[in-house]
Amino acid sequence: MMFEGPRTYRVQRADREPLLRFMREALEARGCRIIYASEPDRAPFVIAFETLTGERMGVVAYAFLATRTPTKNRPDDERSFQVKYGSKLENNLHEIYQDPLGLLTTVFLGISPDEGFFVAVDPELHNPTKFFIRIEFKDSNAEDIKRNGWTTWERSRINREDEPVEVMTGGTKEHFLDLIRFERAALRLDPGNRQLLAQKPELFAQIPLLSGTNLTLADVPQHPLGTRLRPRRGSGCYRQCPTPEDGCSWLGG
């Protein structure tokens, strides 16, 4: 069986190189060793790397430049990134790649290299995506990112009331590896659970143990939402019930 890689687009090297450099430097600053990085004249970017603990990972990055450009008839405090590769097709629908083997993690983000932060959206919510669209966020979101390092919020629904709720995440450069881990864990989660997970970085940003370390069952991490789901007694279904203190009367046992 053949597995196809992502569809790629020719882009301007000079325009895209700062985005690729941002991601490479972010990973290297966390002790990662870059095994492979695609050239900046083809997008999306693909980076394979090994973490400080020996874990091998890969990322497919649909990365765009995040800017603060005053625009007529738009709010004064608005920032955005434009989703654009190549030329607009007649049907203008472009598939966002997800690795069928789960070895590569897809991220979809705007990057501000000068200010040292990124803003990411759910790749699956934009799959397929149109090109020449803008994804907006606020000055206040950028300030929260720079102040806290990692944050999440719901995208404004002004003039887009008919569209689904969209959860956005943002982080400073040192949290780019955390974004990759987050997107790996959050794949195809609904917006509510996606935001719940984003608010708990300790659930996905943990450093895995080195290969060959002696493990017990208690050492193996659960899925990030596993601790918030408990089986209904006597059945195979699940429902959300964070802790016994929440008044749950049917926790397994």
Side-chain angles (χ1 to χ4, degrees):
M1 181 181 295
M2 295 292 293
F3 295 96
E4 295 185 0
R7 175 186 177 182
T8 62
Y9 304 83
R10 185 170 297 280
V11 293
Q12 292 293 324
R13 174 182 289 266
D15 294 339
R16 305 291 175 162
E17 192 277 334
L19 308 179
L20 182 59
R21 177 164 19 100
F22 176 99
M23 293 184 286
R24 289 191 57 152
E25 290 178 353
L27 293 170
E28 289 171 339
R30 291 284 296 270
C32 298
R33 177 176 67 88
I34 304 299
I35 299 171
Y36 169 83
S38 56
E39 292 296 320
D41 59 355
R42 301 293 299 185
F45 304 124
V46 178
I47 305 174
F49 58 95
E50 184 176 85
T51 69
L52 192 61
T53 59
E55 180 185 18
R56 292 206 171 187
M57 303 177 68
V59 61
V60 178
Y62 293 82
F64 309 92
L65 181 66
T67 62
R68 191 184 191 286
T69 305
T71 305
K72 185 178 181 180
N73 298 325
R74 299 298 303 178
D76 293 337
D77 64 342
E78 186 175 87
R79 301 178 182 225
S80 66
F81 57 94
Q82 186 178 45
V83 178
K84 176 184 176 182
Y85 288 149
S87 302
K88 186 182 292 187
L89 299 179
E90 184 176 348
N91 64 3
N92 196 27
L93 289 177
H94 303 260
E95 182 179 356
I96 301 302
Y97 180 77
Q98 292 288 358
D99 181 6
L101 300 180
L103 301 177
L104 300 173
T105 300
T106 297
V107 297
F108 194 110
L109 72 165
I111 295 174
S112 175
D114 292 340
E115 295 187 71
F117 70 83
F118 60 83
V119 171
V121 298
D122 183 353
E124 282 297 279
L125 191 62
H126 289 267
N127 191 14
T129 188
K130 294 182 179 180
F131 281 170
F132 299 80
I133 63 171
R134 295 173 71 249
I135 297 179
E136 308 86 7
F137 59 102
K138 300 291 188 179
D139 281 342
S140 59
N141 302 133
E143 292 306 315
D144 285 344
I145 293 169
K146 288 186 281 187
R147 179 173 57 253
N148 301 320
W150 174 270
T151 190
T152 180
W153 68 95
E154 286 188 16
R155 183 182 175 189
S156 172
R157 301 189 70 192
I158 297 176
N159 297 324
R160 39 186 304 275
E161 291 82 1
D162 295 334
E163 298 180 23
V165 171
E166 182 166 6
V167 173
M168 305 181 74
T169 55
T172 49
K173 194 172 185 177
E174 56 266 32
H175 288 280
F176 179 65
L177 178 57
D178 297 333
L179 174 68
I180 299 173
R181 295 191 188 280
F182 167 72
E183 292 293 1
R184 183 172 63 179
L187 179 61
R188 299 188 178 94
L189 287 181
D190 62 81
N193 280 323
R194 181 179 175 85
Q195 188 163 32
L196 175 65
L197 179 60
Q199 291 169 344
K200 301 283 187 178
E202 66 274 13
L203 296 180
F204 56 84
Q206 73 271 17
I207 300 176
L209 298 175
L210 283 168
S211 175
T213 302
N214 292 326
L215 297 176
T216 67
L217 185 59
D219 294 320
V220 179
Q222 300 182 50
H223 184 279
L225 292 178
T227 56
R228 302 196 56 91
L229 298 170
R230 296 292 187 271
R232 186 188 299 273
R233 181 180 288 124
S235 75
C237 64
Y238 283 72
R239 62 183 253 193
Q240 183 170 325
C241 186
T243 63
E245 289 75 15
D246 292 324
C248 178
S249 60
W250 49 263
L251 283 174

